[in-house]
Short mmCIF file of all heavy atoms in Angstrom, two decimals:
data_model
loop_
_atom_site.label_atom_id
_atom_site.label_comp_id
_atom_site.label_asym_id
_atom_site.label_seq_id
_atom_site.Cartn_x
_atom_site.Cartn_y
_atom_site.Cartn_z
N PRO T 1220 5.63 2.95 20.04
CA PRO T 1220 6.47 1.93 19.39
C PRO T 1220 5.65 1.10 18.43
O PRO T 1220 4.52 0.72 18.75
CB PRO T 1220 6.98 1.10 20.58
CG PRO T 1220 5.95 1.28 21.63
CD PRO T 1220 5.42 2.66 21.49
N ILE T 1221 6.20 0.81 17.27
CA ILE T 1221 5.45 0.18 16.20
C ILE T 1221 5.16 -1.28 16.54
O ILE T 1221 6.05 -2.05 16.89
CB ILE T 1221 6.21 0.30 14.87
CG1 ILE T 1221 6.23 1.77 14.45
CG2 ILE T 1221 5.56 -0.54 13.78
CD1 ILE T 1221 7.11 2.06 13.28
N ASP T 1222 3.88 -1.63 16.41
CA ASP T 1222 3.43 -2.99 16.67
C ASP T 1222 3.59 -3.84 15.40
O ASP T 1222 3.24 -3.40 14.31
CB ASP T 1222 1.96 -2.96 17.10
CG ASP T 1222 1.40 -4.35 17.38
OD1 ASP T 1222 1.66 -4.88 18.47
OD2 ASP T 1222 0.73 -4.88 16.48
N LYS T 1223 4.10 -5.06 15.58
CA LYS T 1223 4.38 -5.91 14.42
C LYS T 1223 3.13 -6.23 13.62
O LYS T 1223 3.14 -6.22 12.39
CB LYS T 1223 5.07 -7.20 14.88
CG LYS T 1223 5.51 -8.10 13.74
CD LYS T 1223 6.30 -9.30 14.26
CE LYS T 1223 6.73 -10.21 13.11
NZ LYS T 1223 7.50 -11.37 13.61
N LYS T 1224 2.02 -6.49 14.31
CA LYS T 1224 0.78 -6.82 13.60
C LYS T 1224 0.26 -5.61 12.82
O LYS T 1224 -0.25 -5.77 11.70
CB LYS T 1224 -0.27 -7.29 14.60
CG LYS T 1224 0.02 -8.67 15.19
CD LYS T 1224 -1.10 -9.13 16.11
CE LYS T 1224 -0.82 -10.51 16.67
NZ LYS T 1224 -1.90 -10.97 17.59
N GLU T 1225 0.39 -4.43 13.40
CA GLU T 1225 -0.05 -3.23 12.68
C GLU T 1225 0.83 -2.97 11.47
O GLU T 1225 0.35 -2.54 10.42
CB GLU T 1225 -0.04 -2.03 13.63
CG GLU T 1225 -1.08 -2.11 14.72
CD GLU T 1225 -1.06 -0.89 15.64
OE1 GLU T 1225 -0.16 -0.03 15.46
OE2 GLU T 1225 -1.92 -0.82 16.52
N LEU T 1226 2.11 -3.23 11.61
CA LEU T 1226 3.03 -3.10 10.48
C LEU T 1226 2.68 -4.10 9.38
O LEU T 1226 2.66 -3.75 8.19
CB LEU T 1226 4.47 -3.31 10.94
CG LEU T 1226 5.54 -3.33 9.85
CD1 LEU T 1226 5.60 -1.98 9.14
CD2 LEU T 1226 6.91 -3.67 10.44
N GLN T 1227 2.38 -5.31 9.77
CA GLN T 1227 2.01 -6.35 8.80
C GLN T 1227 0.76 -5.95 8.04
O GLN T 1227 0.67 -6.14 6.81
CB GLN T 1227 1.79 -7.68 9.53
CG GLN T 1227 1.70 -8.89 8.61
CD GLN T 1227 1.81 -10.18 9.39
OE1 GLN T 1227 1.53 -10.24 10.59
NE2 GLN T 1227 2.21 -11.24 8.73
N ALA T 1228 -0.22 -5.38 8.75
CA ALA T 1228 -1.45 -4.93 8.10
C ALA T 1228 -1.17 -3.79 7.13
O ALA T 1228 -1.75 -3.72 6.04
CB ALA T 1228 -2.46 -4.49 9.15
N ALA T 1229 -0.26 -2.87 7.50
CA ALA T 1229 0.09 -1.76 6.62
C ALA T 1229 0.77 -2.26 5.35
O ALA T 1229 0.49 -1.77 4.24
CB ALA T 1229 1.01 -0.78 7.36
N VAL T 1230 1.68 -3.21 5.49
CA VAL T 1230 2.35 -3.78 4.32
C VAL T 1230 1.35 -4.50 3.43
O VAL T 1230 1.43 -4.43 2.19
CB VAL T 1230 3.49 -4.73 4.76
CG1 VAL T 1230 4.05 -5.49 3.56
CG2 VAL T 1230 4.60 -3.95 5.45
N ALA T 1231 0.37 -5.18 4.03
CA ALA T 1231 -0.67 -5.85 3.25
C ALA T 1231 -1.48 -4.85 2.44
O ALA T 1231 -1.86 -5.10 1.29
CB ALA T 1231 -1.58 -6.67 4.17
N LYS T 1232 -1.77 -3.67 3.04
CA LYS T 1232 -2.47 -2.61 2.31
C LYS T 1232 -1.66 -2.19 1.08
O LYS T 1232 -2.21 -2.00 -0.01
CB LYS T 1232 -2.68 -1.40 3.21
CG LYS T 1232 -3.74 -1.56 4.27
CD LYS T 1232 -3.87 -0.24 5.04
CE LYS T 1232 -4.77 -0.38 6.24
NZ LYS T 1232 -4.85 0.89 7.00
N TYR T 1233 -0.35 -2.05 1.28
CA TYR T 1233 0.50 -1.67 0.15
C TYR T 1233 0.40 -2.70 -0.97
O TYR T 1233 0.29 -2.34 -2.15
CB TYR T 1233 1.96 -1.51 0.59
CG TYR T 1233 2.91 -1.59 -0.57
CD1 TYR T 1233 3.01 -0.52 -1.48
CD2 TYR T 1233 3.65 -2.75 -0.83
CE1 TYR T 1233 3.83 -0.60 -2.58
CE2 TYR T 1233 4.48 -2.83 -1.94
CZ TYR T 1233 4.57 -1.75 -2.80
OH TYR T 1233 5.38 -1.84 -3.90
N GLU T 1234 0.48 -3.96 -0.60
CA GLU T 1234 0.46 -5.02 -1.62
C GLU T 1234 -0.84 -4.99 -2.41
O GLU T 1234 -0.85 -5.22 -3.63
CB GLU T 1234 0.68 -6.38 -0.96
CG GLU T 1234 2.10 -6.53 -0.40
CD GLU T 1234 2.29 -7.79 0.42
OE1 GLU T 1234 1.26 -8.42 0.79
OE2 GLU T 1234 3.45 -8.14 0.71
N GLN T 1235 -1.96 -4.72 -1.73
CA GLN T 1235 -3.25 -4.61 -2.43
C GLN T 1235 -3.26 -3.41 -3.37
O GLN T 1235 -3.71 -3.52 -4.52
CB GLN T 1235 -4.38 -4.49 -1.42
CG GLN T 1235 -4.62 -5.74 -0.59
CD GLN T 1235 -5.69 -5.54 0.46
OE1 GLN T 1235 -6.07 -4.41 0.77
NE2 GLN T 1235 -6.17 -6.64 1.04
N ILE T 1236 -2.76 -2.30 -2.88
CA ILE T 1236 -2.70 -1.09 -3.72
C ILE T 1236 -1.83 -1.33 -4.95
O ILE T 1236 -2.17 -0.93 -6.06
CB ILE T 1236 -2.18 0.10 -2.90
CG1 ILE T 1236 -3.19 0.52 -1.85
CG2 ILE T 1236 -1.83 1.29 -3.81
CD1 ILE T 1236 -2.68 1.55 -0.87
N TYR T 1237 -0.69 -1.98 -4.74
CA TYR T 1237 0.24 -2.23 -5.83
C TYR T 1237 -0.43 -3.08 -6.92
O TYR T 1237 -0.29 -2.80 -8.11
CB TYR T 1237 1.48 -2.94 -5.31
CG TYR T 1237 2.52 -3.20 -6.38
CD1 TYR T 1237 3.43 -2.21 -6.74
CD2 TYR T 1237 2.58 -4.42 -7.02
CE1 TYR T 1237 4.37 -2.42 -7.71
CE2 TYR T 1237 3.52 -4.66 -8.01
CZ TYR T 1237 4.42 -3.66 -8.35
OH TYR T 1237 5.35 -3.88 -9.33
N GLN T 1238 -1.17 -4.09 -6.51
CA GLN T 1238 -1.79 -5.00 -7.47
C GLN T 1238 -2.92 -4.33 -8.24
O GLN T 1238 -3.12 -4.56 -9.42
CB GLN T 1238 -2.33 -6.24 -6.74
CG GLN T 1238 -1.24 -7.14 -6.18
CD GLN T 1238 -1.80 -8.23 -5.29
OE1 GLN T 1238 -3.01 -8.35 -5.10
NE2 GLN T 1238 -0.91 -9.04 -4.75
N ILE T 1239 -3.66 -3.44 -7.55
CA ILE T 1239 -4.89 -2.90 -8.15
C ILE T 1239 -4.67 -1.55 -8.84
O ILE T 1239 -5.19 -1.29 -9.92
CB ILE T 1239 -5.98 -2.76 -7.07
CG1 ILE T 1239 -6.33 -4.15 -6.52
CG2 ILE T 1239 -7.23 -2.08 -7.63
CD1 ILE T 1239 -7.24 -4.11 -5.30
N GLU T 1240 -3.86 -0.68 -8.21
CA GLU T 1240 -3.85 0.72 -8.63
C GLU T 1240 -2.53 1.24 -9.14
O GLU T 1240 -2.42 2.43 -9.43
CB GLU T 1240 -4.30 1.61 -7.45
CG GLU T 1240 -5.71 1.30 -6.97
CD GLU T 1240 -6.12 2.23 -5.86
OE1 GLU T 1240 -5.25 2.99 -5.39
OE2 GLU T 1240 -7.30 2.21 -5.49
N GLU T 1241 -1.51 0.44 -9.25
CA GLU T 1241 -0.19 0.97 -9.57
C GLU T 1241 -0.14 1.72 -10.89
O GLU T 1241 0.57 2.70 -11.04
CB GLU T 1241 0.83 -0.17 -9.59
CG GLU T 1241 2.28 0.29 -9.71
CD GLU T 1241 2.72 1.16 -8.54
OE1 GLU T 1241 2.14 1.03 -7.46
OE2 GLU T 1241 3.64 1.97 -8.73
N THR T 1242 -0.95 1.33 -11.85
CA THR T 1242 -0.87 1.96 -13.17
C THR T 1242 -1.29 3.42 -13.16
O THR T 1242 -0.79 4.24 -13.93
CB THR T 1242 -1.76 1.19 -14.18
OG1 THR T 1242 -3.08 1.10 -13.65
CG2 THR T 1242 -1.22 -0.21 -14.41
N ASN T 1243 -2.23 3.77 -12.29
CA ASN T 1243 -2.68 5.16 -12.28
C ASN T 1243 -2.39 5.85 -10.96
O ASN T 1243 -2.99 6.88 -10.63
CB ASN T 1243 -4.18 5.27 -12.60
CG ASN T 1243 -5.04 4.58 -11.54
OD1 ASN T 1243 -4.51 3.92 -10.65
ND2 ASN T 1243 -6.35 4.72 -11.66
N TYR T 1244 -1.44 5.33 -10.20
CA TYR T 1244 -1.14 5.89 -8.88
C TYR T 1244 -0.63 7.33 -8.97
O TYR T 1244 -1.08 8.21 -8.24
CB TYR T 1244 -0.10 5.01 -8.18
CG TYR T 1244 0.28 5.50 -6.80
CD1 TYR T 1244 -0.60 5.35 -5.74
CD2 TYR T 1244 1.50 6.13 -6.57
CE1 TYR T 1244 -0.28 5.79 -4.46
CE2 TYR T 1244 1.83 6.58 -5.30
CZ TYR T 1244 0.93 6.40 -4.25
OH TYR T 1244 1.27 6.86 -3.01
N GLN T 1245 0.29 7.58 -9.89
CA GLN T 1245 0.85 8.93 -9.99
C GLN T 1245 -0.19 9.96 -10.39
O GLN T 1245 -0.14 11.11 -9.95
CB GLN T 1245 2.02 8.94 -10.98
CG GLN T 1245 3.23 8.14 -10.51
CD GLN T 1245 3.82 8.67 -9.22
OE1 GLN T 1245 3.66 9.85 -8.90
NE2 GLN T 1245 4.47 7.82 -8.46
N ASP T 1246 -1.15 9.57 -11.22
CA ASP T 1246 -2.22 10.50 -11.58
C ASP T 1246 -3.04 10.88 -10.36
O ASP T 1246 -3.44 12.05 -10.19
CB ASP T 1246 -3.14 9.87 -12.64
CG ASP T 1246 -2.45 9.76 -13.99
OD1 ASP T 1246 -1.44 10.48 -14.20
OD2 ASP T 1246 -2.90 8.95 -14.81
N LYS T 1247 -3.30 9.90 -9.49
CA LYS T 1247 -4.07 10.18 -8.28
C LYS T 1247 -3.28 11.08 -7.34
O LYS T 1247 -3.84 11.96 -6.69
CB LYS T 1247 -4.43 8.87 -7.57
CG LYS T 1247 -5.47 8.04 -8.32
CD LYS T 1247 -5.95 6.88 -7.48
CE LYS T 1247 -7.08 6.15 -8.20
NZ LYS T 1247 -7.63 5.04 -7.38
N ILE T 1248 -1.98 10.87 -7.27
CA ILE T 1248 -1.14 11.70 -6.41
C ILE T 1248 -1.18 13.16 -6.88
O ILE T 1248 -1.31 14.08 -6.08
CB ILE T 1248 0.32 11.20 -6.42
CG1 ILE T 1248 0.42 9.88 -5.65
CG2 ILE T 1248 1.27 12.22 -5.80
CD1 ILE T 1248 0.12 10.02 -4.17
N LYS T 1249 -1.08 13.39 -8.18
CA LYS T 1249 -1.11 14.75 -8.71
C LYS T 1249 -2.44 15.43 -8.39
O LYS T 1249 -2.48 16.60 -8.01
CB LYS T 1249 -0.86 14.74 -10.21
CG LYS T 1249 0.58 14.39 -10.59
CD LYS T 1249 0.75 14.37 -12.09
CE LYS T 1249 2.19 13.99 -12.47
NZ LYS T 1249 2.36 13.93 -13.94
#
């Protein structure tokens, strides 16, 4: 079962990625 603190940490990772890497994210995915 998903822990709230672990979910919060995962969402925080997303926010960091969005701020830093969003412009070239699709290139990295390819």
Side-chain angles (χ1 to χ4, degrees):
I1221 292 172
D1222 179 80
K1223 185 175 179 179
K1224 289 184 179 180
E1225 292 181 356
L1226 175 63
Q1227 193 167 23
V1230 171
K1232 287 182 188 178
Y1233 161 73
E1234 291 172 346
Q1235 292 176 345
I1236 291 172
Y1237 182 83
Q1238 292 171 1
I1239 297 171
E1240 299 183 352
E1241 189 62 25
T1242 54
N1243 63 353
Y1244 181 74
Q1245 293 299 334
D1246 290 340
K1247 289 189 175 183
I1248 289 294
K1249 289 179 181 178

